[in-house]
Amino acid sequence: QVQLVESGGGLVQAGGSLRLSCAASGIIFSMHGMGWYRQAPGKQRELVVSITRGGSTAYADSVKGRFTISRDNAKNTVYLQMNSLKPEDTGVYYCNVQYWSRDYWGQGTQVTVSS
C-alpha cells in the first residue's frame, strides 16, 4: 500500500525558511519521480516542483531560485527546502507520486507565511 507522509510545515515570517519532508512507503522509491504541490485557500492545487528518479528537476516560475527539491533514496524521502518565503507561498503542501497510472497524495502539511 502506497503511503506518503509529509512533515515540516509551520508558521514563518516573510523571508524565513522551512524544510518539508515526505516519507514514502509501499513503492520502490528510487524508481519513481516525485512532486510537491500546494493549494492556497480558494485556489486550485498547483505543481511547485518535481524531481525524476534520475534527479532532474522542474520548478514553477514562482519558486525558482528560492525552493530546492532533493531526494534521499536510502531514506525513501523527498525534501523541499524553501527559502525567502513570501506570504503568497502560504498553503497546504502535498507530496505526490504516480504509481501504476494513479496519483497518490500525502495528507498535506500547512505552511503559513506572515507578512
mmCIF file of all heavy atoms in Angstrom, residues 4 7-8 13 22 27-28 34-35 47-48 59 68 71-72 86 88-90 94 98 102 104:
data_model
loop_
_atom_site.group_PDB
_atom_site.id
_atom_site.type_symbol
_atom_site.label_atom_id
_atom_site.label_comp_id
_atom_site.label_asym_id
_atom_site.label_seq_id
_atom_site.Cartn_x
_atom_site.Cartn_y
_atom_site.Cartn_z
ATOM 1 N N LEU A 4 2.307 8.198 1.719
ATOM 2 C CA LEU A 4 3.177 9.368 1.732
ATOM 3 C C LEU A 4 2.859 10.168 2.983
ATOM 4 O O LEU A 4 1.688 10.465 3.248
ATOM 5 C CB LEU A 4 2.945 10.226 0.484
ATOM 6 C CG LEU A 4 3.146 9.539 -0.871
ATOM 7 C CD1 LEU A 4 2.707 10.474 -2.002
ATOM 8 C CD2 LEU A 4 4.594 9.131 -1.060
ATOM 9 N N SER A 7 5.859 16.256 6.485
ATOM 10 C CA SER A 7 6.111 16.925 7.762
ATOM 11 C C SER A 7 6.945 18.165 7.504
ATOM 12 O O SER A 7 7.498 18.327 6.406
ATOM 13 C CB SER A 7 6.830 15.984 8.739
ATOM 14 O OG SER A 7 8.081 15.592 8.214
ATOM 15 N N GLY A 8 7.009 19.036 8.510
ATOM 16 C CA GLY A 8 7.898 20.179 8.431
ATOM 17 C C GLY A 8 7.227 21.526 8.210
ATOM 18 O O GLY A 8 7.903 22.551 8.177
ATOM 19 N N GLN A 13 7.765 33.903 9.334
ATOM 20 C CA GLN A 13 7.671 35.268 8.819
ATOM 21 C C GLN A 13 8.209 35.332 7.395
ATOM 22 O O GLN A 13 9.047 34.510 6.991
ATOM 23 C CB GLN A 13 8.455 36.228 9.715
ATOM 24 C CG GLN A 13 7.797 36.485 11.067
ATOM 25 C CD GLN A 13 8.483 37.592 11.833
ATOM 26 O OE1 GLN A 13 9.681 37.819 11.674
ATOM 27 N NE2 GLN A 13 7.733 38.278 12.684
ATOM 28 N N CYS A 22 8.937 14.395 2.968
ATOM 29 C CA CYS A 22 7.885 13.460 2.586
ATOM 30 C C CYS A 22 8.488 12.067 2.584
ATOM 31 O O CYS A 22 9.359 11.766 1.760
ATOM 32 C CB CYS A 22 7.319 13.796 1.220
ATOM 33 S SG CYS A 22 6.199 12.545 0.551
ATOM 34 N N ILE A 27 6.354 1.628 -2.184
ATOM 35 C CA ILE A 27 6.866 1.704 -3.542
ATOM 36 C C ILE A 27 8.379 1.511 -3.504
ATOM 37 O O ILE A 27 9.004 1.663 -2.458
ATOM 38 C CB ILE A 27 6.555 3.056 -4.220
ATOM 39 C CG1 ILE A 27 7.170 4.212 -3.422
ATOM 40 C CG2 ILE A 27 5.070 3.250 -4.410
ATOM 41 C CD1 ILE A 27 7.060 5.573 -4.110
ATOM 42 N N ILE A 28 8.935 1.158 -4.662
ATOM 43 C CA ILE A 28 10.392 1.170 -4.781
ATOM 44 C C ILE A 28 10.751 2.617 -5.081
ATOM 45 O O ILE A 28 10.728 3.061 -6.238
ATOM 46 C CB ILE A 28 10.865 0.217 -5.885
ATOM 47 C CG1 ILE A 28 10.385 -1.205 -5.584
ATOM 48 C CG2 ILE A 28 12.394 0.259 -5.973
ATOM 49 C CD1 ILE A 28 10.697 -2.201 -6.679
ATOM 50 N N MET A 34 8.924 12.170 -8.097
ATOM 51 C CA MET A 34 8.111 12.687 -7.003
ATOM 52 C C MET A 34 7.802 14.148 -7.271
ATOM 53 O O MET A 34 8.526 14.828 -8.007
ATOM 54 C CB MET A 34 8.856 12.578 -5.665
ATOM 55 C CG MET A 34 9.304 11.179 -5.281
ATOM 56 S SD MET A 34 7.926 10.082 -4.933
ATOM 57 C CE MET A 34 7.241 10.868 -3.465
ATOM 58 N N GLY A 35 6.743 14.622 -6.656
ATOM 59 C CA GLY A 35 6.392 16.029 -6.826
ATOM 60 C C GLY A 35 5.889 16.657 -5.539
ATOM 61 O O GLY A 35 5.383 15.957 -4.658
ATOM 62 N N LEU A 47 1.313 22.529 -9.130
ATOM 63 C CA LEU A 47 2.619 21.886 -9.019
ATOM 64 C C LEU A 47 3.666 22.932 -8.651
ATOM 65 O O LEU A 47 3.773 23.963 -9.315
ATOM 66 C CB LEU A 47 2.993 21.213 -10.335
ATOM 67 C CG LEU A 47 4.373 20.574 -10.412
ATOM 68 C CD1 LEU A 47 4.496 19.430 -9.418
ATOM 69 C CD2 LEU A 47 4.648 20.095 -11.830
ATOM 70 N N VAL A 48 4.426 22.652 -7.629
ATOM 71 C CA VAL A 48 5.509 23.538 -7.201
ATOM 72 C C VAL A 48 6.827 23.093 -7.842
ATOM 73 O O VAL A 48 7.557 23.899 -8.413
ATOM 74 C CB VAL A 48 5.639 23.538 -5.671
ATOM 75 C CG1 VAL A 48 6.832 24.358 -5.228
ATOM 76 C CG2 VAL A 48 4.353 24.041 -5.022
ATOM 77 N N TYR A 59 10.882 23.359 -11.815
ATOM 78 C CA TYR A 59 10.298 24.256 -10.828
ATOM 79 C C TYR A 59 9.253 25.178 -11.461
ATOM 80 O O TYR A 59 9.418 25.615 -12.603
ATOM 81 C CB TYR A 59 11.377 25.144 -10.205
ATOM 82 C CG TYR A 59 12.352 24.411 -9.331
ATOM 83 C CD1 TYR A 59 13.499 23.823 -9.864
ATOM 84 C CD2 TYR A 59 12.146 24.304 -7.956
ATOM 85 C CE1 TYR A 59 14.398 23.148 -9.070
ATOM 86 C CE2 TYR A 59 13.043 23.635 -7.144
ATOM 87 C CZ TYR A 59 14.161 23.058 -7.706
ATOM 88 O OH TYR A 59 15.054 22.385 -6.906
ATOM 89 N N THR A 68 14.244 24.445 -3.254
ATOM 90 C CA THR A 68 15.104 23.381 -3.764
ATOM 91 C C THR A 68 14.544 22.029 -3.353
ATOM 92 O O THR A 68 14.303 21.780 -2.170
ATOM 93 C CB THR A 68 16.532 23.504 -3.224
ATOM 94 O OG1 THR A 68 17.061 24.790 -3.550
ATOM 95 C CG2 THR A 68 17.432 22.430 -3.831
ATOM 96 N N ARG A 71 16.197 14.485 -3.001
ATOM 97 C CA ARG A 71 15.694 13.177 -2.589
ATOM 98 C C ARG A 71 16.825 12.359 -1.996
ATOM 99 O O ARG A 71 17.981 12.490 -2.406
ATOM 100 C CB ARG A 71 15.052 12.438 -3.764
ATOM 101 C CG ARG A 71 15.966 12.115 -4.930
ATOM 102 C CD ARG A 71 15.169 11.558 -6.105
ATOM 103 N NE ARG A 71 14.474 10.332 -5.759
ATOM 104 C CZ ARG A 71 13.406 9.879 -6.408
ATOM 105 N NH1 ARG A 71 12.922 10.548 -7.455
ATOM 106 N NH2 ARG A 71 12.834 8.751 -6.029
ATOM 107 N N ASP A 72 16.469 11.520 -1.024
ATOM 108 C CA ASP A 72 17.411 10.598 -0.412
ATOM 109 C C ASP A 72 16.814 9.206 -0.586
ATOM 110 O O ASP A 72 15.907 8.813 0.156
ATOM 111 C CB ASP A 72 17.593 10.934 1.068
ATOM 112 C CG ASP A 72 18.658 10.084 1.741
ATOM 113 O OD1 ASP A 72 18.951 8.972 1.237
ATOM 114 O OD2 ASP A 72 19.181 10.513 2.768
ATOM 115 N N LYS A 86 7.499 33.934 0.985
ATOM 116 C CA LYS A 86 6.622 35.074 0.788
ATOM 117 C C LYS A 86 5.207 34.718 1.261
ATOM 118 O O LYS A 86 4.845 33.535 1.271
ATOM 119 C CB LYS A 86 6.570 35.444 -0.697
ATOM 120 C CG LYS A 86 7.917 35.712 -1.336
ATOM 121 C CD LYS A 86 7.764 35.963 -2.828
ATOM 122 C CE LYS A 86 9.112 36.234 -3.494
ATOM 123 N NZ LYS A 86 8.959 36.481 -4.948
ATOM 124 N N GLU A 88 2.560 34.817 -0.292
ATOM 125 C CA GLU A 88 1.860 34.062 -1.341
ATOM 126 C C GLU A 88 2.286 32.602 -1.419
ATOM 127 O O GLU A 88 1.705 31.831 -2.184
ATOM 128 C CB GLU A 88 2.047 34.737 -2.716
ATOM 129 C CG GLU A 88 3.478 35.041 -3.082
ATOM 130 C CD GLU A 88 3.863 36.478 -2.768
ATOM 131 O OE1 GLU A 88 3.503 36.972 -1.658
ATOM 132 O OE2 GLU A 88 4.541 37.095 -3.604
ATOM 133 N N ASP A 89 3.276 32.205 -0.647
ATOM 134 C CA ASP A 89 3.643 30.781 -0.565
ATOM 135 C C ASP A 89 2.753 30.026 0.421
ATOM 136 O O ASP A 89 2.856 28.800 0.540
ATOM 137 C CB ASP A 89 5.102 30.622 -0.128
ATOM 138 C CG ASP A 89 6.080 31.156 -1.156
ATOM 139 O OD1 ASP A 89 5.873 30.917 -2.356
ATOM 140 O OD2 ASP A 89 7.050 31.820 -0.750
ATOM 141 N N THR A 90 1.903 30.747 1.116
ATOM 142 C CA THR A 90 1.008 30.127 2.092
ATOM 143 C C THR A 90 0.083 29.120 1.433
ATOM 144 O O THR A 90 -0.470 29.374 0.357
ATOM 145 C CB THR A 90 0.173 31.201 2.806
ATOM 146 O OG1 THR A 90 1.050 32.010 3.602
ATOM 147 C CG2 THR A 90 -0.892 30.591 3.698
ATOM 148 N N TYR A 94 1.518 19.346 -0.504
ATOM 149 C CA TYR A 94 1.280 17.912 -0.658
ATOM 150 C C TYR A 94 2.410 17.264 -1.446
ATOM 151 O O TYR A 94 2.899 17.804 -2.433
ATOM 152 C CB TYR A 94 -0.017 17.652 -1.419
ATOM 153 C CG TYR A 94 -1.267 18.153 -0.752
ATOM 154 C CD1 TYR A 94 -1.763 19.420 -1.016
ATOM 155 C CD2 TYR A 94 -1.973 17.338 0.137
ATOM 156 C CE1 TYR A 94 -2.924 19.886 -0.421
ATOM 157 C CE2 TYR A 94 -3.141 17.792 0.739
ATOM 158 C CZ TYR A 94 -3.594 19.058 0.458
ATOM 159 O OH TYR A 94 -4.753 19.499 1.054
ATOM 160 N N GLN A 98 3.154 9.181 -8.775
ATOM 161 C CA GLN A 98 2.291 8.444 -9.700
ATOM 162 C C GLN A 98 2.778 7.001 -9.742
ATOM 163 O O GLN A 98 3.951 6.751 -10.015
ATOM 164 C CB GLN A 98 2.317 9.068 -11.089
ATOM 165 C CG GLN A 98 1.623 10.418 -11.149
ATOM 166 C CD GLN A 98 1.469 10.931 -12.568
ATOM 167 O OE1 GLN A 98 2.182 10.530 -13.470
ATOM 168 N NE2 GLN A 98 0.528 11.842 -12.762
ATOM 169 N N ARG A 102 -1.779 5.938 -11.327
ATOM 170 C CA ARG A 102 -2.672 6.535 -10.327
ATOM 171 C C ARG A 102 -1.870 7.511 -9.472
ATOM 172 O O ARG A 102 -0.715 7.239 -9.137
ATOM 173 C CB ARG A 102 -3.286 5.447 -9.456
ATOM 174 C CG ARG A 102 -4.166 5.988 -8.347
ATOM 175 C CD ARG A 102 -4.686 4.881 -7.447
ATOM 176 N NE ARG A 102 -5.250 5.434 -6.227
ATOM 177 C CZ ARG A 102 -5.778 4.717 -5.242
ATOM 178 N NH1 ARG A 102 -5.823 3.397 -5.341
ATOM 179 N NH2 ARG A 102 -6.267 5.301 -4.168
ATOM 180 N N TYR A 104 -1.024 9.326 -6.065
ATOM 181 C CA TYR A 104 -1.107 9.147 -4.615
ATOM 182 C C TYR A 104 -0.654 10.443 -3.941
ATOM 183 O O TYR A 104 0.296 11.091 -4.404
ATOM 184 C CB TYR A 104 -0.234 7.976 -4.150
ATOM 185 C CG TYR A 104 -0.796 6.634 -4.546
ATOM 186 C CD1 TYR A 104 -0.520 6.099 -5.799
ATOM 187 C CD2 TYR A 104 -1.618 5.917 -3.681
ATOM 188 C CE1 TYR A 104 -1.041 4.864 -6.173
ATOM 189 C CE2 TYR A 104 -2.138 4.687 -4.044
ATOM 190 C CZ TYR A 104 -1.847 4.165 -5.295
ATOM 191 O OH TYR A 104 -2.369 2.960 -5.663
#
